[in-house]
Amino acid sequence: MTSQPTVTGAGNDPGGPAAPGNPEGSGLQAGLKNRHLSMIAIGGVIGAGLFVGSSTGIATAGPGILLSYALVGTLVVLVMRMLGEMSAANPTSGSFSAHADRALGPWAGFSIGWLYWFFWVVVLAVEATAGAAILEGWIPAVPQWGWALIVMVVLTATNLASVGSYGEFEFWFAGIKVVAIGAFIVVGGLAVFGVLPGVDSDSAGLGNLTDHGGFLPNGAGAVLTGILLVVFSFMGSEIATLAAGESEDPQRAVTKATNSIIWRIGVFYLGSIFVVVCLLPWDSEAISEDGSYVAALDSLGIAHAGQIMNFIVLTSVLSCLNSGLYTASRMAFSLGRRGDAPKAFARTTARGVPRTAIIASVVFGFVAVFFNYRFPDSVFLFLVNSSGAVALFVWLVICFSQLRMRKIIEAEAPEKLVVRMWLYPYLTWASAGLIVFVLGYMLTDTEHNGRTTVLLSLLVAGVVLAIAVVRQRMAGRRDADAEARDEVRAG
């Protein structure tokens, strides 16, 4: 272990891709095409939470939920800019965990890597259950647990086949999401301005932004509460930087994903929510009963709106499952390469697939699914709440990592700064401050379970951090003993 981290090229990165055709155990392979990376980057910001959870945010903040999405979106743009700066200089499958390892120390890389892995394997259970509920509604002959099993097995097989299989599935899953939400924005936007042929919606119009109690009907404080409700729907933006390590041109992929994050969030989040709150009054019972997007489609007289949205949500769920398994396995692979996880996690097949890391991740996912069906209000609720604030922990670690990595890169390889954080270090510190503020505000939130989420997440983070510190001290003692033995032999 070195006290001063160094920057390595993509070819020397221990967690980076190996050349195609290398023998078993040689590392990951560059199996993702540019079109895969582009769609992964676009689809990564569109989660099922946008379709399912936005109605609660609208009911809480009214049209002011647009400010909540804008504030969180701005934070995500800044964090992604920091991550893009580090990842473009050193693309790696470990992404922010590997950067934290170099910038802050092994304890940081170990802690945030395992917390992130834990987050995604719990997400596997949540999404598998959500997808199974939709599928059971269509084909009730198969029980819900059966559908959850089928979905998990199919996507596990996809990830085990090759990274190209993951990329191809994600390309089409994300493509459906992008087309669907794009069509919703266009059709809904035409209706808002009264130019959609064949639709006569009396409730649609820009007046919905202010006519029902004003733009902030529940006060400015509701915007902060709205932030708590929408912040977790943005998790997944960073997946493109992990996947870039297995692309043909990692630096180009990271740069492109980083530069396009602004319009992706602006169009898909702010654009679609803007259309929803303009099509219907924010306090419409339909939004809370049917969901924001289903209610919006119903208001336009579109037949089978609920089933259409169920199909889109199912696609988002499958996309999230596919990416979640990929992300968890690559983080486990990176941890194994750095000695922070069992060495078996770092072994790959001849196709460059970290088989053991994938299987270990999906096994935990299966266990979590079992807990969801057997102990939904105890064990599984604990898992969900204790992983809920990990997104904010990850973003905070990215901020502190970038503060140090910028100095290291400038000193050792300034030519690799092809992506630069704006107004460094001021915006970095401002972003870190906003994240801490959100975490602090969550501690005051008892209505939406914010306090429980933060406290349980801090508990789990504390346990992982304690393990990391103990491991680092033990490693230091082993190194010191080895040096002492070498000196005795030399003497």
Side-chain angles (χ1 to χ4, degrees):
M1 298 181 189
T2 58
S3 58
Q4 181 71 4
T6 57
V7 179
T8 61
N12 298 323
D13 174 25
N22 276 8
E24 183 169 353
S26 61
L28 303 177
Q29 293 184 4
L32 292 175
K33 301 176 182 177
N34 287 334
R35 65 182 178 88
H36 293 155
L37 262 296
S38 296
M39 198 57 73
I40 289 170
I42 295 173
V45 297
I46 309 174
L50 173 62
F51 301 110
V52 178
S54 56
S55 56
T56 305
I58 293 172
T60 299
I65 195 65
L66 287 168
L67 296 180
S68 302
Y69 274 104
L71 286 170
V72 178
T74 300
L75 177 60
V76 172
V77 167
L78 295 175
V79 171
M80 278 296 295
R81 188 74 184 182
M82 300 175 218
L83 182 55
E85 177 181 292
M86 296 184 289
S87 295
N90 184 24
T92 169
S93 62
S95 188
F96 50 84
S97 174
H99 303 322
D101 190 290
R102 295 187 181 97
L104 305 177
W107 63 269
F110 176 95
S111 301
I112 206 63
W114 276 113
L115 285 173
Y116 191 69
W117 178 86
F118 174 58
F119 170 84
W120 279 110
V121 293
V122 172
V123 166
L124 292 181
V126 173
E127 300 296 342
T129 304
I134 295 174
L135 290 167
E136 186 191 29
W138 292 342
I139 309 177
V142 179
Q144 191 176 117
W145 66 265
W147 279 119
L149 180 64
I150 291 170
V151 166
M152 292 277 278
V153 168
V154 169
L155 292 179
T156 299
T158 299
N159 275 265
L160 285 172
S162 69
V163 67
S165 298
Y166 155 72
E168 199 63 33
F169 267 71
E170 190 57 25
F171 176 81
W172 291 105
F173 285 152
I176 292 172
K177 289 191 296 183
V178 169
V179 170
I181 202 166
F184 173 82
I185 292 172
V186 171
V187 172
L190 292 174
V192 168
F193 292 101
V195 294
L196 183 64
V199 172
D200 183 19
S201 177
D202 296 332
S203 62
L206 295 176
N208 284 326
L209 295 174
T210 56
D211 288 349
H212 300 269
F215 185 70
L216 298 174
N218 296 325
V223 174
L224 296 177
T225 305
I227 288 176
L228 307 186
L229 298 173
V230 308
V231 65
F232 303 110
S233 65
F234 283 84
M235 192 66 169
S237 304
E238 70 290 334
I239 292 176
T241 64
L242 280 89
E246 293 177 81
S247 67
E248 298 167 352
D249 189 350
Q251 188 179 79
R252 177 178 177 274
V254 169
T255 303
K256 187 175 181 181
T258 302
N259 290 337
S260 64
I261 187 70
I262 297 177
W263 73 260
R264 285 185 277 136
I265 288 177
V267 171
F268 296 122
Y269 276 85
L270 290 177
S272 64
I273 295 298
F274 173 81
V275 168
V276 169
V277 294
C278 286
L279 285 177
L280 286 169
W282 70 270
D283 53 358
S284 169
E285 292 184 1
I287 291 180
S288 57
E289 292 177 358
D290 303 327
S292 52
Y293 288 84
V294 173
L297 291 176
D298 275 334
S299 73
L300 299 178
I302 296 177
H304 310 295
Q307 292 303 322
I308 292 173
M309 190 52 58
N310 274 340
F311 173 74
I312 296 171
V313 171
L314 178 62
T315 302
S316 296
V317 164
L318 294 177
S319 172
C320 191
L321 263 173
N322 193 38
S323 289
L325 183 52
Y326 170 85
T327 303
S329 65
R330 267 40 177 197
M331 185 58 72
F333 168 83
S334 179
L335 289 167
R337 275 293 179 103
R338 303 199 304 268
D340 290 337
K343 291 182 179 179
F345 285 11
R347 298 195 190 111
T348 57
T349 66
R351 289 173 172 259
V353 175
R355 180 190 297 155
T356 304
I358 291 175
I359 293 174
S361 300
V362 81
V363 164
F364 194 96
F366 277 125
V367 171
V369 169
F370 169 75
F371 285 145
N372 193 12
Y373 287 110
R374 187 69 179 84
F375 309 106
D377 298 323
S378 54
V379 179
F380 187 70
L381 188 61
F382 170 80
L383 292 176
V384 172
N385 285 333
S386 61
S387 64
V390 167
L392 294 170
F393 296 164
V394 167
W395 295 347
L396 193 59
V397 167
I398 289 173
C399 291
F400 291 128
S401 298
Q402 190 266 340
L403 284 170
R404 182 142 191 243
M405 279 299 291
R406 166 64 79 89
K407 297 176 182 178
I408 296 169
I409 298 171
E410 285 180 334
E412 299 183 1
E415 71 280 0
K416 292 186 176 182
L417 280 173
V418 294
V419 176
R420 288 177 177 267
M421 176 59 185
W422 304 298
L423 297 178
Y424 168 84
Y426 307 109
L427 276 182
T428 302
W429 279 111
S431 301
L434 179 57
I435 295 169
V436 171
F437 172 79
V438 171
L439 285 168
Y441 189 75
M442 286 181 71
L443 289 173
T444 69
D445 175 44
T446 55
E447 182 180 355
H448 302 98
N449 218 28
R451 177 182 296 174
T452 301
T453 297
V454 172
L455 292 177
L456 289 180
S457 296
L458 285 173
L459 173 64
V460 172
V463 171
V464 175
L465 182 59
I467 294 172
V469 172
V470 170
R471 287 182 76 259
Q472 188 168 342
R473 288 182 177 177
M474 291 176 63
R477 289 173 185 170
R478 285 195 298 268
D479 292 343
D481 291 342
E483 289 179 6
R485 287 194 296 270
D486 292 340
E487 289 177 1
V488 170
R489 291 186 188 125

